[in-house]
Amino acid sequence: MDSFQIQLQDMSFSYDNSKLILRRINMIIKPEDFILIVGENGAGKSTLLKIIAGVLKPRSGCVLVNGRPIHKDKEYFKKIGFVMQYAEDSFCCDTVFDEISFASKNFKLDRIKERVENAARLVGVDQSLFSKSPYELSSGEARKVAIASMLAHDPFLLILDEPFVGLDKLGKESLRNILINWKKQGKSTVIVSHQTKYVDGLANKVFKLEAGSFSQINPF
Ligand SMILES: Nc1ncnc2c1ncn2[C@@H]1O[C@H](COP(=O)(O)OP(=O)(O)O)[C@@H](O)[C@H]1O
Ligand SMILES: [Mg+2]
């Protein structure tokens, strides 16, 4: 794998230039890191993920990829996959195949069919679902398709916001297996989750967000 490191340097953020939501956060994401972020409701976890994903820009400090600001790296969005909370609510295609291939086509990548098949295999989506409407899927299948759609372009880093929410026990166990497979490939993960039992033993770093500040705690 190419070298890959994302670094947050003294990164602060506010939505309205008054109250800081995130205060001077420092964090490094390296290959094979599995980073769990925990914190109360409203602590700023989703905001932090959006900053790492380049969807929001820091007010001060910076986010670097391999030492360069992420907004100067035109390929940055190809290096990450961002699965927002309830990502399946943003489905926009007529078929599961098109949904999974959506980002890869946008990035004008080659070998679309192979990419979709690989991503589907990684998350356990059967090819018999490819021609189905993504809106006809069970909640567990829909979540898998949402994740596969962020894997088909073969990113280095998967960013997941509360991916276990809304899944039944089987769906949660199946998602845990997806994350184990992803990690085995040497890829990185940043995940926000309350349901820490499903990431038990996976995280090598755990951070707690509290009143905008960040502290590293022991892995569970
Ligand atoms: N688009 C927005 N505009 C203004 N304030 C926001 C916006 N999104 C979130 N917030 C506020 O930022 C804080 C952190 O929110 P969020 O990052 O969603 O926290 P968490 O994911 O930990 O629950 C909350 O006080 C929330 O109300
Ligand atoms: Mg949130």
Side-chain angles (χ1 to χ4, degrees):
M1 189 192 297
D2 300 346
S3 75
F4 171 73
Q5 177 167 297
I6 295 176
Q7 187 167 13
L8 277 68
Q9 264 180 359
D10 281 337
M11 192 285 297
S12 297
F13 180 82
S14 68
Y15 280 101
D16 56 6
N17 279 327
S18 56
K19 182 173 168 261
L20 278 185
I21 304 282
L22 301 169
R23 209 173 317 127
R24 299 185 74 104
I25 288 182
N26 289 287
M27 175 185 189
I28 294 181
I29 307 165
K30 293 184 173 170
E32 298 182 46
D33 268 349
F34 191 108
I35 299 177
L36 171 64
I37 297 170
V38 296
E40 301 282 303
N41 251 344
K45 304 181 299 297
S46 295
T47 304
L48 177 60
L49 293 190
K50 286 176 189 161
I51 298 227
I52 297 170
V55 177
L56 293 173
K57 280 192 177 162
R59 289 289 168 257
S60 63
C62 53
V63 186
L64 307 172
V65 57
N66 296 339
R68 296 174 64 212
I70 55 173
H71 63 270
K72 290 198 172 155
D73 181 352
K74 290 200 183 77
E75 305 278 286
Y76 186 66
F77 290 112
K78 296 185 192 171
K79 293 174 180 158
I80 62 161
F82 181 26
V83 184
M84 289 179 292
Q85 196 167 359
Y86 295 112
E88 58 275 16
D89 290 349
S90 314
F91 282 161
C92 59
C93 300
D94 291 338
T95 67
V96 166
F97 183 94
D98 287 349
E99 200 61 63
I100 298 178
S101 65
F102 187 74
S104 301
K105 282 183 183 156
N106 264 343
F107 294 143
K108 303 198 184 328
L109 300 178
D110 58 358
R111 299 178 291 108
I112 295 291
K113 184 162 174 286
E114 188 185 323
R115 289 174 181 281
V116 172
E117 287 169 0
N118 285 342
R121 193 176 319 115
L122 201 63
V123 303
V125 165
D126 195 86
Q127 291 194 23
S128 62
L129 296 181
F130 280 4
S131 57
K132 263 198 165 186
S133 161
Y135 303 101
E136 287 168 17
L137 304 174
S138 71
S139 58
E141 285 168 345
R143 187 67 50 86
K144 287 182 186 175
V145 168
I147 295 171
S149 73
M150 287 297 143
L151 295 184
H153 61 283
D154 197 27
F156 293 112
L157 170 68
L158 189 58
I159 302 169
L160 302 139
D161 198 353
E162 302 280 8
F164 293 100
V165 171
L167 296 182
D168 60 17
K169 192 164 177 288
L170 203 67
K172 286 175 182 155
E173 278 163 5
S174 158
L175 175 53
R176 175 179 164 85
N177 285 327
I178 293 172
L179 298 178
I180 291 171
N181 276 341
W182 180 247
K183 192 177 150 113
K184 272 191 196 146
Q185 298 201 338
K187 305 281 193 153
S188 312
T189 304
V190 176
I191 182 170
V192 164
S193 182
H194 288 106
Q195 298 178 326
T196 51
K197 95 174 196 197
Y198 290 102
V199 291
D200 193 27
L202 286 175
N204 60 318
K205 296 180 195 165
V206 183
F207 291 96
K208 184 164 191 184
L209 253 184
E210 222 165 7
S213 294
F214 215 40
S215 53
Q216 191 162 356
I217 57 182
N218 286 328
F220 297 106

